[in-house]
Amino acid sequence: KPGGYQTAMPQPAAAPPAYPDFPGYQPLPDDAQPTYAGMPDNYPPPPPEAYEALPNGPMPPPAPEIQLQAPRQRSPFEPYELALLKYVVRYGEHILYDYDDEETKERVVIRLAEFILTELTQDDLHFHNPLFKQMLDEAAAQCKTEGFVASRYFFAHPDATVSRLAANLMSEKYQLSKYHTKFRELEQEEDKLEPLVIRELFGFKDTYIREQIKTIQAAIKTAQQQNDMEQVFDCMKKLTQLNELKNALSKKLGERIILKM
């Protein structure tokens, strides 16, 4: 029977940052160079007759307008969202828990996609990437359908973006990040799905709390500069609560993962 660590997550002072959709399913390298959009490689100069009417002779062709395309801003949640989505695509229909409820005396069956969505929802959390969120929501809604197999469902998805991402996540060569390849599993994933999924969930929640701590610390600095001591004290109380949650998550992660792995 699952004993998910439930916390009353504090709501952010402002809406969470919006991150662009995940294009191409490969994060940009840190040393990525800007690209130039809208300009052909063989940009042609104006024809010679365009200069014949000029009183002072030919002028050089005007420089084309160049638009710089900045590298995509990375979400700190992306490695955990992708890791969780990998398990959803591969094993979304897998039964993670099957037990008799002591109070209702009913049989409870919880599948992997349902478990991930429930663990996030109960703490008022969600995937920040809209594409990832869509895929998790669909898997959780479909996983109780008879004959549902997550990998087949996403491979045959009418949205080509979804099917391409599913193919990448199913590939054994797909590497999510240096962090996750460092902890590459020696056994088959199917043998220990529960601790693997829980580890990524706790990592996601821990990252959320750390981002909120950064936001509160910035607010404290601003309030101090404005000599708004009431705001400083209010933020300090929130900061204390967040640090308590962070410590509790770390302790719970050790209890549930280290002992099980």
Side-chain angles (χ1 to χ4, degrees):
K1 179 174 179 178
Y5 181 71
Q6 301 185 14
T7 58
M9 287 289 182
Q11 295 304 301
Y19 297 100
D21 289 346
F22 185 65
Y25 322 121
Q26 292 295 337
L28 291 175
D30 293 329
D31 58 348
Q33 298 297 317
T35 58
Y36 299 90
M39 186 179 71
D41 293 334
N42 57 342
Y43 190 90
E49 56 269 21
Y51 305 121
E52 292 176 356
L54 295 176
N56 297 323
M59 296 288 290
E65 182 179 351
I66 296 175
Q67 297 179 349
L68 292 180
Q69 181 178 344
R72 179 177 61 90
Q73 182 182 7
R74 296 184 185 181
S75 162
F77 307 102
E78 185 176 282
Y80 299 100
E81 292 180 6
L82 275 172
L84 289 168
L85 193 61
K86 179 192 73 172
Y87 296 126
V88 170
V89 170
R90 294 183 178 187
Y91 315 105
E93 76 283 357
H94 180 88
I95 296 177
L96 208 57
Y97 300 105
D98 185 356
Y99 61 94
D100 293 319
D101 188 278
E102 296 178 357
E103 296 181 0
T104 64
K105 307 300 181 182
E106 295 180 355
R107 194 72 173 173
V108 177
V109 176
I110 302 176
R111 301 178 187 273
L112 186 142
E114 291 177 294
F115 175 72
I116 292 176
L117 183 60
T118 300
E119 281 287 312
L120 294 176
T121 303
Q122 70 186 6
D123 286 331
D124 295 324
L125 298 176
H126 58 82
F127 282 175
H128 292 72
N129 185 294
L131 177 62
F132 302 167
K133 183 178 185 302
Q134 172 196 337
M135 293 176 68
L136 174 59
D137 291 343
E138 287 189 25
Q142 295 286 337
C143 66
K144 285 188 176 180
T145 303
E146 184 177 356
F148 171 75
V149 177
S151 58
R152 290 207 302 259
Y153 174 85
F154 286 115
F155 278 167
H157 201 280
D159 187 334
T161 305
V162 171
S163 60
R164 285 197 301 268
L165 177 54
N168 280 339
L169 293 174
M170 284 295 295
S171 172
E172 290 296 338
K173 297 180 181 179
Y174 188 76
Q175 296 184 357
L176 297 176
S177 68
K178 292 180 180 178
Y179 167 81
H180 290 95
T181 55
K182 178 181 177 182
F183 294 98
R184 197 165 209 167
E185 279 65 46
L186 298 178
E187 301 93 337
Q188 293 294 320
E189 289 176 330
E190 300 94 318
D191 297 335
K192 49 180 184 176
L193 278 175
E194 180 190 11
L196 290 174
V197 169
I198 290 175
R199 184 182 70 194
E200 303 300 346
L201 279 168
F202 275 75
F204 181 94
K205 294 180 181 182
D206 180 70
T207 301
Y208 176 85
I209 291 176
R210 291 177 186 275
E211 289 299 307
Q212 292 303 302
I213 288 176
K214 291 179 183 178
T215 300
I216 294 297
Q217 289 173 334
I220 291 174
K221 184 177 180 179
T222 300
Q224 289 174 333
Q225 292 172 346
Q226 297 174 350
N227 200 27
D228 186 348
M229 299 311 297
E230 182 177 352
Q231 179 69 10
V232 170
F233 291 138
D234 183 55
C235 289
M236 290 296 294
K237 288 170 59 178
K238 294 178 180 178
L239 185 61
T240 299
Q241 295 173 349
L242 287 168
N243 280 316
E244 290 175 353
L245 281 173
K246 180 169 68 69
N247 294 335
L249 273 175
S250 298
K251 182 175 183 295
K252 200 69 176 179
L253 178 64
E255 291 175 355
R256 297 200 63 175
I257 301 302
I258 295 176
L259 295 180
K260 288 178 176 288
M261 291 296 281

